[in-house]
Amino acid sequence: MVMATTATTAPTTSIASVVLEVPDPEAAHRFYTAFGVDTHIRLRASEAHSAGFRGFTLALTVSRPATVDSFLRAGVNAGATTLKPAEKSLWGYGGVLQAPDGTVWKIATSAKKDTGPATREIDEIVLLLGVEDVKASFGGKYAEFASGVSSPVKLALYKRRGLAKDLGVPAYGTGSHRIVLGSTAGSFTDPDGFVWETATSLTPAPSTASAQS
């Protein structure tokens, strides 16, 4: 796929891994295990300064409202903070929470009614990067790409202010994004300051022991 932050210089790449930089990888691993997404992300120790909105969110798409509630409840019980309670909207049903490490997660479904009991199954994981100017390159406010063959995460780009509004947080922020993306196209920093590094594996590491660097 082609990086959407620029139309002329961005390399062709796909996401091989998502690394969250956290102050305490062991505590973060406990949270993400309880939340149910530990096998989909990597964790790395970092004390880099970060304040306010980090410019991205990770979104879980699930099958029904009961499953949305199940993930939100598991996150809150493990120490997350609710940013937006689950509610119905024109597009479906969803809510937003913030993990103890500061990462914002959105859990949503296009279904408005339950057709069965809650499960812990994730249909899709999307990394939404908030960028300054999607329209300049793609003629719209949103761009989405197919994920790589072995990648568990799909990449999408959204205007930063619009993304922040959707999550219910102020758009400003300072310091590190606290996320590093594993790339099949080498190491680089994109125009919005997101760091990409050469991926050594297409399989996410489920434990802090193998995820720290």
Side-chain angles (χ1 to χ4, degrees):
M1 66 185 176
V2 177
M3 282 289 295
T5 46
T6 172
T8 57
T9 61
T12 299
T13 186
S14 62
I15 297 178
S17 61
V18 174
V19 180
L20 297 179
E21 296 187 325
V22 299
D24 187 340
E26 291 187 4
H29 179 63
R30 288 193 296 271
F31 169 81
Y32 287 118
T33 299
F35 185 37
V37 299
D38 56 304
T39 59
H40 302 294
I41 58 173
R42 296 172 183 256
L43 301 171
R44 177 180 297 169
S46 174
E47 296 295 337
H49 167 73
S50 182
F53 181 43
R54 296 177 183 173
F56 75 92
T57 189
L58 283 156
L60 307 182
T61 302
V62 298
S63 62
R64 55 184 66 105
T67 300
V68 170
D69 292 336
S70 176
F71 274 97
L72 291 173
R73 185 165 52 249
V76 171
N77 288 344
T81 301
T82 299
L83 296 180
K84 272 191 172 183
E87 61 181 3
K88 291 182 180 179
S89 67
L90 292 176
W91 52 261
Y93 181 82
V96 182
L97 56 75
Q98 187 170 35
D101 66 272
T103 303
V104 176
W105 292 80
K106 181 174 182 177
I107 303 90
T109 178
S110 58
K112 295 184 180 181
K113 295 182 179 180
D114 285 318
T115 56
T119 72
R120 297 294 290 166
E121 295 180 2
I122 299 170
D123 295 337
E124 188 173 63
I125 303 175
V126 181
L127 170 63
L128 292 105
L129 300 183
V131 301
E132 289 301 321
D133 196 351
V134 183
K135 188 174 182 179
S137 299
F138 291 88
K141 296 181 179 180
Y142 179 84
E144 183 176 292
F145 305 92
S147 57
V149 174
S150 301
S151 172
V153 180
K154 177 184 287 186
L155 172 66
L157 305 182
Y158 195 31
K159 192 169 179 62
R160 183 185 176 106
R161 289 186 179 277
L163 180 59
K165 182 178 180 180
D166 180 61
L167 299 174
V169 299
Y172 58 84
T174 60
S176 172
H177 289 297
R178 285 288 188 95
I179 189 170
V180 177
L181 307 178
S183 166
T184 58
S187 300
F188 60 95
T189 299
D190 69 31
D192 290 279
F194 291 100
V195 175
W196 296 70
E197 64 182 17
T198 302
T200 56
S201 171
L202 293 178
T203 304
S207 68
T208 55
S210 58
Q212 294 181 46
S213 64

PDB file of all heavy atoms in Angstrom, residues 18 36-37 39-41 58-61 105 122-128 147 151-155:
ATOM      1  N   VAL A  18       2.626  -3.133  15.317  1.00  0.00           N
ATOM      2  CA  VAL A  18       2.339  -1.882  16.007  1.00  0.00           C
ATOM      3  C   VAL A  18       2.984  -1.965  17.382  1.00  0.00           C
ATOM      4  O   VAL A  18       2.691  -2.869  18.164  1.00  0.00           O
ATOM      5  CB  VAL A  18       0.824  -1.647  16.153  1.00  0.00           C
ATOM      6  CG1 VAL A  18       0.551  -0.416  17.010  1.00  0.00           C
ATOM      7  CG2 VAL A  18       0.172  -1.493  14.786  1.00  0.00           C
ATOM      8  N   GLY A  36      -7.855  -7.961  26.184  1.00  0.00           N
ATOM      9  CA  GLY A  36      -8.062  -8.951  25.139  1.00  0.00           C
ATOM     10  C   GLY A  36      -7.383  -8.664  23.825  1.00  0.00           C
ATOM     11  O   GLY A  36      -7.746  -9.241  22.795  1.00  0.00           O
ATOM     12  N   VAL A  37      -6.360  -7.787  23.819  1.00  0.00           N
ATOM     13  CA  VAL A  37      -5.688  -7.442  22.556  1.00  0.00           C
ATOM     14  C   VAL A  37      -4.170  -7.658  22.618  1.00  0.00           C
ATOM     15  O   VAL A  37      -3.437  -7.183  21.758  1.00  0.00           O
ATOM     16  CB  VAL A  37      -5.982  -5.976  22.156  1.00  0.00           C
ATOM     17  CG1 VAL A  37      -7.476  -5.754  21.954  1.00  0.00           C
ATOM     18  CG2 VAL A  37      -5.435  -5.004  23.199  1.00  0.00           C
ATOM     19  N   THR A  39      -2.189 -10.036  21.920  1.00  0.00           N
ATOM     20  CA  THR A  39      -1.516 -10.722  20.825  1.00  0.00           C
ATOM     21  C   THR A  39      -1.442  -9.876  19.556  1.00  0.00           C
ATOM     22  O   THR A  39      -0.819 -10.279  18.575  1.00  0.00           O
ATOM     23  CB  THR A  39      -2.223 -12.050  20.490  1.00  0.00           C
ATOM     24  OG1 THR A  39      -3.581 -11.781  20.121  1.00  0.00           O
ATOM     25  CG2 THR A  39      -2.189 -12.990  21.688  1.00  0.00           C
ATOM     26  N   HIS A  40      -2.054  -8.703  19.569  1.00  0.00           N
ATOM     27  CA  HIS A  40      -2.110  -7.874  18.369  1.00  0.00           C
ATOM     28  C   HIS A  40      -1.135  -6.700  18.385  1.00  0.00           C
ATOM     29  O   HIS A  40      -1.009  -6.000  17.377  1.00  0.00           O
ATOM     30  CB  HIS A  40      -3.525  -7.345  18.173  1.00  0.00           C
ATOM     31  CG  HIS A  40      -4.561  -8.419  18.052  1.00  0.00           C
ATOM     32  ND1 HIS A  40      -4.599  -9.298  17.000  1.00  0.00           N
ATOM     33  CD2 HIS A  40      -5.582  -8.774  18.881  1.00  0.00           C
ATOM     34  CE1 HIS A  40      -5.609 -10.143  17.163  1.00  0.00           C
ATOM     35  NE2 HIS A  40      -6.210  -9.843  18.305  1.00  0.00           N
ATOM     36  N   ILE A  41      -0.495  -6.457  19.528  1.00  0.00           N
ATOM     37  CA  ILE A  41       0.405  -5.313  19.642  1.00  0.00           C
ATOM     38  C   ILE A  41       1.711  -5.727  20.306  1.00  0.00           C
ATOM     39  O   ILE A  41       1.792  -6.778  20.938  1.00  0.00           O
ATOM     40  CB  ILE A  41      -0.228  -4.169  20.464  1.00  0.00           C
ATOM     41  CG1 ILE A  41      -0.598  -4.680  21.869  1.00  0.00           C
ATOM     42  CG2 ILE A  41      -1.429  -3.573  19.742  1.00  0.00           C
ATOM     43  CD1 ILE A  41      -1.073  -3.590  22.805  1.00  0.00           C
ATOM     44  N   LEU A  58      -6.476   3.327  18.213  1.00  0.00           N
ATOM     45  CA  LEU A  58      -6.648   1.962  17.738  1.00  0.00           C
ATOM     46  C   LEU A  58      -8.122   1.609  17.915  1.00  0.00           C
ATOM     47  O   LEU A  58      -8.693   1.828  18.985  1.00  0.00           O
ATOM     48  CB  LEU A  58      -5.763   1.002  18.523  1.00  0.00           C
ATOM     49  CG  LEU A  58      -4.290   1.039  18.101  1.00  0.00           C
ATOM     50  CD1 LEU A  58      -3.389   0.550  19.226  1.00  0.00           C
ATOM     51  CD2 LEU A  58      -4.078   0.187  16.851  1.00  0.00           C
ATOM     52  N   ALA A  59      -8.730   1.109  16.852  1.00  0.00           N
ATOM     53  CA  ALA A  59     -10.160   0.831  16.865  1.00  0.00           C
ATOM     54  C   ALA A  59     -10.417  -0.655  16.647  1.00  0.00           C
ATOM     55  O   ALA A  59      -9.808  -1.283  15.780  1.00  0.00           O
ATOM     56  CB  ALA A  59     -10.864   1.645  15.778  1.00  0.00           C
ATOM     57  N   LEU A  60     -11.312  -1.201  17.457  1.00  0.00           N
ATOM     58  CA  LEU A  60     -11.741  -2.587  17.311  1.00  0.00           C
ATOM     59  C   LEU A  60     -13.136  -2.597  16.702  1.00  0.00           C
ATOM     60  O   LEU A  60     -14.043  -1.948  17.219  1.00  0.00           O
ATOM     61  CB  LEU A  60     -11.783  -3.300  18.665  1.00  0.00           C
ATOM     62  CG  LEU A  60     -10.529  -3.262  19.541  1.00  0.00           C
ATOM     63  CD1 LEU A  60     -10.771  -4.068  20.817  1.00  0.00           C
ATOM     64  CD2 LEU A  60      -9.325  -3.802  18.785  1.00  0.00           C
ATOM     65  N   THR A  61     -13.296  -3.317  15.602  1.00  0.00           N
ATOM     66  CA  THR A  61     -14.619  -3.529  15.021  1.00  0.00           C
ATOM     67  C   THR A  61     -15.095  -4.914  15.420  1.00  0.00           C
ATOM     68  O   THR A  61     -14.372  -5.904  15.212  1.00  0.00           O
ATOM     69  CB  THR A  61     -14.573  -3.426  13.488  1.00  0.00           C
ATOM     70  OG1 THR A  61     -14.075  -2.139  13.118  1.00  0.00           O
ATOM     71  CG2 THR A  61     -15.956  -3.610  12.898  1.00  0.00           C
ATOM     72  N   TRP A 105      -8.507   3.829  22.731  1.00  0.00           N
ATOM     73  CA  TRP A 105      -9.104   2.714  22.007  1.00  0.00           C
ATOM     74  C   TRP A 105     -10.579   2.993  21.762  1.00  0.00           C
ATOM     75  O   TRP A 105     -11.293   3.431  22.657  1.00  0.00           O
ATOM     76  CB  TRP A 105      -8.974   1.416  22.802  1.00  0.00           C
ATOM     77  CG  TRP A 105      -7.570   0.919  22.920  1.00  0.00           C
ATOM     78  CD1 TRP A 105      -6.606   1.355  23.796  1.00  0.00           C
ATOM     79  CD2 TRP A 105      -6.968  -0.105  22.136  1.00  0.00           C
ATOM     80  NE1 TRP A 105      -5.440   0.653  23.597  1.00  0.00           N
ATOM     81  CE2 TRP A 105      -5.628  -0.251  22.591  1.00  0.00           C
ATOM     82  CE3 TRP A 105      -7.433  -0.938  21.105  1.00  0.00           C
ATOM     83  CZ2 TRP A 105      -4.749  -1.175  22.031  1.00  0.00           C
ATOM     84  CZ3 TRP A 105      -6.562  -1.857  20.548  1.00  0.00           C
ATOM     85  CH2 TRP A 105      -5.240  -1.965  21.008  1.00  0.00           C
ATOM     86  N   ILE A 122     -12.750 -10.339  17.680  1.00  0.00           N
ATOM     87  CA  ILE A 122     -12.491  -9.058  17.018  1.00  0.00           C
ATOM     88  C   ILE A 122     -12.568  -9.279  15.518  1.00  0.00           C
ATOM     89  O   ILE A 122     -11.851 -10.122  14.964  1.00  0.00           O
ATOM     90  CB  ILE A 122     -11.110  -8.514  17.396  1.00  0.00           C
ATOM     91  CG1 ILE A 122     -11.029  -8.272  18.910  1.00  0.00           C
ATOM     92  CG2 ILE A 122     -10.811  -7.221  16.631  1.00  0.00           C
ATOM     93  CD1 ILE A 122      -9.619  -7.959  19.397  1.00  0.00           C
ATOM     94  N   ASP A 123     -13.427  -8.543  14.834  1.00  0.00           N
ATOM     95  CA  ASP A 123     -13.544  -8.676  13.387  1.00  0.00           C
ATOM     96  C   ASP A 123     -12.405  -7.966  12.667  1.00  0.00           C
ATOM     97  O   ASP A 123     -11.898  -8.459  11.663  1.00  0.00           O
ATOM     98  CB  ASP A 123     -14.879  -8.112  12.899  1.00  0.00           C
ATOM     99  CG  ASP A 123     -16.071  -8.901  13.410  1.00  0.00           C
ATOM    100  OD1 ASP A 123     -15.887 -10.097  13.754  1.00  0.00           O
ATOM    101  OD2 ASP A 123     -17.179  -8.331  13.473  1.00  0.00           O
ATOM    102  N   GLU A 124     -12.015  -6.805  13.197  1.00  0.00           N
ATOM    103  CA  GLU A 124     -10.989  -6.009  12.523  1.00  0.00           C
ATOM    104  C   GLU A 124     -10.354  -5.042  13.512  1.00  0.00           C
ATOM    105  O   GLU A 124     -11.013  -4.543  14.415  1.00  0.00           O
ATOM    106  CB  GLU A 124     -11.626  -5.226  11.364  1.00  0.00           C
ATOM    107  CG  GLU A 124     -10.661  -4.509  10.470  1.00  0.00           C
ATOM    108  CD  GLU A 124     -11.356  -3.896   9.264  1.00  0.00           C
ATOM    109  OE1 GLU A 124     -12.214  -3.002   9.459  1.00  0.00           O
ATOM    110  OE2 GLU A 124     -11.057  -4.311   8.127  1.00  0.00           O
ATOM    111  N   ILE A 125      -9.062  -4.805  13.341  1.00  0.00           N
ATOM    112  CA  ILE A 125      -8.348  -3.792  14.123  1.00  0.00           C
ATOM    113  C   ILE A 125      -7.863  -2.725  13.149  1.00  0.00           C
ATOM    114  O   ILE A 125      -7.212  -3.048  12.146  1.00  0.00           O
ATOM    115  CB  ILE A 125      -7.148  -4.383  14.871  1.00  0.00           C
ATOM    116  CG1 ILE A 125      -7.587  -5.525  15.784  1.00  0.00           C
ATOM    117  CG2 ILE A 125      -6.447  -3.291  15.698  1.00  0.00           C
ATOM    118  CD1 ILE A 125      -6.429  -6.225  16.460  1.00  0.00           C
ATOM    119  N   VAL A 126      -8.169  -1.485  13.430  1.00  0.00           N
ATOM    120  CA  VAL A 126      -7.773  -0.386  12.554  1.00  0.00           C
ATOM    121  C   VAL A 126      -6.957   0.628  13.347  1.00  0.00           C
ATOM    122  O   VAL A 126      -7.367   1.058  14.426  1.00  0.00           O
ATOM    123  CB  VAL A 126      -9.000   0.326  11.935  1.00  0.00           C
ATOM    124  CG1 VAL A 126      -8.555   1.456  11.012  1.00  0.00           C
ATOM    125  CG2 VAL A 126      -9.869  -0.673  11.173  1.00  0.00           C
ATOM    126  N   LEU A 127      -5.809   0.985  12.817  1.00  0.00           N
ATOM    127  CA  LEU A 127      -5.002   2.064  13.378  1.00  0.00           C
ATOM    128  C   LEU A 127      -5.329   3.328  12.597  1.00  0.00           C
ATOM    129  O   LEU A 127      -5.064   3.416  11.399  1.00  0.00           O
ATOM    130  CB  LEU A 127      -3.515   1.745  13.256  1.00  0.00           C
ATOM    131  CG  LEU A 127      -2.554   2.892  13.579  1.00  0.00           C
ATOM    132  CD1 LEU A 127      -2.695   3.339  15.028  1.00  0.00           C
ATOM    133  CD2 LEU A 127      -1.121   2.498  13.270  1.00  0.00           C
ATOM    134  N   LEU A 128      -5.956   4.290  13.272  1.00  0.00           N
ATOM    135  CA  LEU A 128      -6.271   5.568  12.641  1.00  0.00           C
ATOM    136  C   LEU A 128      -5.238   6.601  13.044  1.00  0.00           C
ATOM    137  O   LEU A 128      -5.103   6.919  14.235  1.00  0.00           O
ATOM    138  CB  LEU A 128      -7.663   6.042  13.049  1.00  0.00           C
ATOM    139  CG  LEU A 128      -8.835   5.214  12.518  1.00  0.00           C
ATOM    140  CD1 LEU A 128      -9.407   4.350  13.621  1.00  0.00           C
ATOM    141  CD2 LEU A 128      -9.929   6.136  11.966  1.00  0.00           C
ATOM    142  N   SER A 147      -4.939  -4.091   4.751  1.00  0.00           N
ATOM    143  CA  SER A 147      -3.791  -4.495   5.558  1.00  0.00           C
ATOM    144  C   SER A 147      -2.920  -5.458   4.778  1.00  0.00           C
ATOM    145  O   SER A 147      -3.348  -6.052   3.783  1.00  0.00           O
ATOM    146  CB  SER A 147      -4.272  -5.169   6.857  1.00  0.00           C
ATOM    147  OG  SER A 147      -5.086  -6.269   6.561  1.00  0.00           O
ATOM    148  N   SER A 151      -0.376  -8.933   8.378  1.00  0.00           N
ATOM    149  CA  SER A 151      -0.590  -7.907   9.391  1.00  0.00           C
ATOM    150  C   SER A 151      -1.972  -8.030  10.008  1.00  0.00           C
ATOM    151  O   SER A 151      -2.966  -8.183   9.292  1.00  0.00           O
ATOM    152  CB  SER A 151      -0.438  -6.517   8.776  1.00  0.00           C
ATOM    153  OG  SER A 151      -0.826  -5.522   9.703  1.00  0.00           O
ATOM    154  N   PRO A 152      -2.080  -7.935  11.338  1.00  0.00           N
ATOM    155  CA  PRO A 152      -3.390  -7.983  11.985  1.00  0.00           C
ATOM    156  C   PRO A 152      -4.074  -6.625  12.021  1.00  0.00           C
ATOM    157  O   PRO A 152      -5.209  -6.521  12.461  1.00  0.00           O
ATOM    158  CB  PRO A 152      -3.050  -8.442  13.401  1.00  0.00           C
ATOM    159  CG  PRO A 152      -1.705  -7.842  13.648  1.00  0.00           C
ATOM    160  CD  PRO A 152      -0.990  -7.894  12.314  1.00  0.00           C
ATOM    161  N   VAL A 153      -3.383  -5.573  11.561  1.00  0.00           N
ATOM    162  CA  VAL A 153      -3.888  -4.212  11.721  1.00  0.00           C
ATOM    163  C   VAL A 153      -4.009  -3.522  10.367  1.00  0.00           C
ATOM    164  O   VAL A 153      -3.106  -3.576   9.539  1.00  0.00           O
ATOM    165  CB  VAL A 153      -2.955  -3.385  12.632  1.00  0.00           C
ATOM    166  CG1 VAL A 153      -3.496  -1.967  12.799  1.00  0.00           C
ATOM    167  CG2 VAL A 153      -2.789  -4.058  13.988  1.00  0.00           C
ATOM    168  N   LYS A 154      -5.157  -2.864  10.155  1.00  0.00           N
ATOM    169  CA  LYS A 154      -5.376  -2.067   8.948  1.00  0.00           C
ATOM    170  C   LYS A 154      -5.042  -0.611   9.256  1.00  0.00           C
ATOM    171  O   LYS A 154      -5.300  -0.125  10.359  1.00  0.00           O
ATOM    172  CB  LYS A 154      -6.829  -2.184   8.503  1.00  0.00           C
ATOM    173  CG  LYS A 154      -7.183  -1.338   7.280  1.00  0.00           C
ATOM    174  CD  LYS A 154      -8.655  -1.425   6.950  1.00  0.00           C
ATOM    175  CE  LYS A 154      -9.006  -2.763   6.355  1.00  0.00           C
ATOM    176  NZ  LYS A 154     -10.417  -2.801   5.886  1.00  0.00           N
ATOM    177  N   LEU A 155      -4.474   0.089   8.282  1.00  0.00           N
ATOM    178  CA  LEU A 155      -4.131   1.497   8.437  1.00  0.00           C
ATOM    179  C   LEU A 155      -5.208   2.378   7.823  1.00  0.00           C
ATOM    180  O   LEU A 155      -5.699   2.110   6.727  1.00  0.00           O
ATOM    181  CB  LEU A 155      -2.794   1.796   7.758  1.00  0.00           C
ATOM    182  CG  LEU A 155      -2.386   3.273   7.666  1.00  0.00           C
ATOM    183  CD1 LEU A 155      -2.117   3.844   9.058  1.00  0.00           C
ATOM    184  CD2 LEU A 155      -1.167   3.436   6.769  1.00  0.00           C
TER     185      LEU A 155
END
